[in-house]
Amino acid sequence: MSIEGPDTLSTGQTSQYFITVSMAGKTGAGFDIAKRSGTLSSASSNTHVSSTEIVHSTNIAMSGGTVTIPFNYTAPLKVTFDTLWATGLATNSTGGTGGDSWNWAPSKRIVVRMPTEINSISEVEDFNISQNYPNPFNPATNIKIDLLKS
């Protein structure tokens, strides 16, 4: 069982993540996804939010003993480290609990940082900065900057 998605998000940013439940010989799955401080939302018709967690609505059919389900995570509005946790259930799809098996995904740590609009100079491919005019001892001065792209 695993949780896949970005390791770093900006404050308030939403990104799609995926939970994969796998177990050879099983035909169905269920799960429960929790978070520390962000917000979770459903991205699949067979899942829903229950309280603050995402859970399966019905038994989810597996193909070859594996199923991957998308969900959305929105980072909190403050700089922090957040964590996603998940448990998954691999089933025989019989409606009973005989032969069903619970799995736990490794915790998914997410770094939440402040967004920035500043690109480092190494990201600009071609540029030219001209001499200022008139000289800086005047009340105002102009500096011409040419960029290949903004």
Side-chain angles (χ1 to χ4, degrees):
M1 188 166 162
S2 64
I3 302 171
E4 299 296 327
D7 295 328
T8 304
L9 293 176
S10 296
T11 55
Q13 181 181 3
T14 299
S15 188
Q16 191 164 79
Y17 286 76
F18 299 89
I19 183 169
T20 300
V21 180
S22 298
M23 185 163 284
K26 301 300 181 181
T27 58
F31 62 88
D32 185 329
I33 304 167
K35 47 63 182 171
R36 182 183 311 268
S37 62
T39 304
L40 296 171
S41 61
S42 179
S44 173
S45 61
N46 49 11
T47 65
H48 67 277
V49 175
S50 176
S51 184
T52 61
E53 300 177 0
I54 296 200
V55 297
H56 59 283
S57 300
T58 60
N59 190 48
I60 301 168
M62 294 175 123
S63 175
T66 299
V67 65
T68 299
I69 303 107
F71 66 95
N72 296 319
Y73 166 80
T74 301
L77 297 176
K78 64 179 183 171
V79 173
T80 189
F81 294 102
D82 205 353
T83 306
L84 299 177
W85 297 279
T87 59
L89 177 64
T91 74
N92 293 321
S93 302
T94 62
T97 58
D100 293 352
S101 178
W102 283 97
N103 300 251
W104 287 265
S107 299
K108 175 74 172 174
R109 182 176 174 180
I110 301 170
V111 176
V112 180
R113 61 174 174 75
M114 291 299 294
T116 179
E117 296 296 324
I118 300 171
N119 292 331
S120 69
I121 197 73
S122 64
E123 295 178 22
V124 178
E125 292 178 18
D126 192 16
F127 66 95
N128 183 44
I129 300 176
S130 301
Q131 178 64 45
N132 65 310
Y133 63 92
N135 72 48
F137 298 105
N138 289 306
T141 188
N142 295 304
I143 300 173
K144 182 180 176 190
I145 300 174
D146 296 310
L147 299 172
L148 185 62
K149 63 181 184 177
S150 58

